[in-house]
Amino acid sequence: MAIRPQTRPSNNKTDLTGRIVKALSGYYYVRPIDAASDVEPIQCRARGIFKKRGESPLVGDVVEYEETENGEGAVNRILPRSSELIRPPVVNIDLAVLVFSVTEPALNLQLLDKFLVHIEHAGIQAVLCLSKQDLAEDGEDSEEARTAMSDVLRIYQPIGYEVLVTSSRQGEGTPALSERLQGHLAVFAGQSGVGKSSLLNALVPGLTLETNAISNRLGRGKHTTRHVELVDIGGGYVADTPGFSQLDFAELGIEELGTCFREMRELSSGCKFRGCTHIHEPECAVLEALERGEIAPSRHSNYVLFMEEMKEKKRRY
């Protein structure tokens, strides 16, 4: 997922190094590297050379920039990227926190697996964060919420995913999440209405990100985040990301899908046929593990569903 960085030589001794923490209306807001969280980012424009190359600085980029008149600046060079997400456009992420509520909205394992496919493909470490844990203790959906929590722990912990259970309302789990984020540039992702903004507000007192209640009629929340912005949580950054629920497999090849399911990737070397699809082939190590109950049926059925979705898209084009 990494792309070739711009390589304009920098001979300007006044060039400084910083990270783009927000991009809005043609401006890039750059915070100097190692600056304290209360240091205001510098509003910069990108040099025209980027446009000529069809390239663009992105949120998360480490850049060389220079100060210009009126306290503003200009981005001169983008340093090499370690990772890149296409939607949302954010780079150098090394940890993805996938936020799913135990209820309101109901936990959707198919969507969770779709997120994990994209995160695995990008080569980014994932942490599963279950929000609204307090709803599992009381309320009319408490039984559904407890079942959802149990399913996630049963299915995803054995295949190596870290699971954190949180309640921003009660403050449960937020200290552990804050500690996990230290030293990382993380992305918060999940369907609208699961409480991403509420969690960030709990992590950073005084942040007051806009939140929205769930629409009962539609069973989903309204998008409250308008643009990608890195939030300094003291010792790390978190990106709250709009548009991350609109996922498709455009950048993923059919043959790569199986490698994005951890348990299938580990077993695939035991399949009789090279390029095994893990759907119908004889002596398939994945199907044999599924039959023995070593792979969750929901994981395999979602894999088959995604494969069909990708084939259908390929046929259309």
Side-chain angles (χ1 to χ4, degrees):
M1 295 295 287
I3 67 169
R4 187 186 303 277
Q6 289 79 356
T7 55
R8 186 190 76 85
S10 178
N11 300 315
N12 190 337
K13 292 182 180 178
T14 63
D15 269 7
L16 305 165
T17 306
R19 186 184 297 278
I20 296 175
V21 296
K22 181 170 71 171
L24 194 62
S25 304
Y27 282 103
Y28 301 93
Y29 296 83
V30 179
R31 175 168 285 137
I33 290 293
D34 298 327
S37 58
D38 58 353
V39 172
E40 284 295 312
I42 297 162
Q43 182 174 279
C44 298
R45 291 280 193 187
R47 291 294 184 194
I49 189 68
F50 296 116
K51 192 170 184 181
K52 287 179 183 175
R53 292 172 175 164
E55 297 166 341
S56 178
L58 294 171
V59 170
D61 266 324
V62 177
V63 299
E64 289 181 354
Y65 69 100
E66 62 181 286
E67 293 180 347
T68 57
E69 65 281 351
N70 303 325
E72 295 191 351
V75 174
N76 292 329
R77 181 169 175 249
I78 299 173
L79 300 186
R81 294 166 173 167
S82 61
S83 66
E84 179 178 4
L85 292 173
I86 294 173
R87 273 184 316 278
V90 59
V91 299
N92 295 326
I93 295 291
D94 63 358
L95 182 68
V97 179
L98 303 184
V99 185
F100 278 74
S101 59
V102 294
T103 186
E104 293 185 18
L107 199 147
N108 184 332
L109 292 181
Q110 184 183 313
L111 185 59
L112 174 53
D113 282 339
K114 187 173 272 197
F115 272 107
L116 286 171
V117 164
H118 285 262
I119 295 305
E120 290 282 346
H121 184 247
I124 298 170
Q125 192 177 6
V127 171
L128 309 187
C129 177
L130 297 181
S131 64
K132 306 185 184 181
Q133 179 260 344
D134 52 289
L135 296 179
E137 297 172 2
D138 51 38
E140 59 186 46
D141 296 327
S142 58
E143 187 175 341
E144 176 193 13
R146 284 193 294 271
T147 300
M149 283 174 57
S150 173
D151 286 346
V152 170
L153 293 166
R154 174 178 53 82
I155 294 170
Y156 296 93
Q157 278 189 331
I159 55 176
Y161 287 112
E162 186 178 352
V163 181
L164 297 176
V165 181
T166 65
S167 167
S168 54
R169 186 184 297 171
Q170 297 178 337
E172 293 285 339
T174 48
L177 178 58
S178 179
E179 187 178 334
R180 186 66 181 85
L181 295 169
Q182 295 302 302
H184 291 285
L185 203 169
V187 62
F188 268 34
Q191 69 190 113
S192 187
V194 296
K196 299 188 299 294
S197 295
S198 295
L199 270 175
L200 279 172
N201 287 336
L203 288 169
V204 187
L207 183 63
T208 62
L209 285 177
E210 182 188 356
T211 61
N212 250 333
I214 295 292
S215 163
N216 288 326
R217 184 172 64 84
L218 296 175
R220 62 175 188 261
K222 297 178 181 178
H223 283 292
T224 54
T225 314
R226 302 288 185 269
H227 59 273
V228 180
E229 182 172 354
L230 298 185
V231 177
D232 190 327
I233 61 164
Y237 283 102
V238 170
D240 191 19
T241 50
F244 213 160
S245 57
Q246 306 300 313
L247 295 173
D248 62 41
F249 297 111
E251 66 271 19
L252 188 68
I254 288 175
E255 65 284 351
E256 295 177 287
L257 182 61
T259 66
C260 297
F261 284 75
R262 287 183 174 184
E263 63 275 51
M264 298 186 198
R265 182 171 68 228
E266 290 173 8
L267 288 166
S268 60
S269 61
C271 294
K272 180 179 180 180
F273 298 103
R274 191 176 175 183
C276 181
T277 65
H278 316 311
I279 294 175
H280 54 73
E281 293 87 347
E283 297 182 50
C284 165
V286 170
L287 290 176
E288 288 170 0
L290 178 67
E291 202 169 306
R292 292 193 302 268
E294 295 168 7
I295 289 179
S298 64
R299 289 276 287 171
H300 188 263
S301 63
N302 287 336
Y303 164 78
V304 174
L305 189 74
F306 299 160
M307 183 73 82
E308 286 304 312
E309 186 180 324
M310 293 170 78
K311 286 179 179 175
E312 180 59 33
K313 188 160 286 188
K314 198 174 181 183
R315 280 195 289 267
R316 285 206 304 269
Y317 296 103

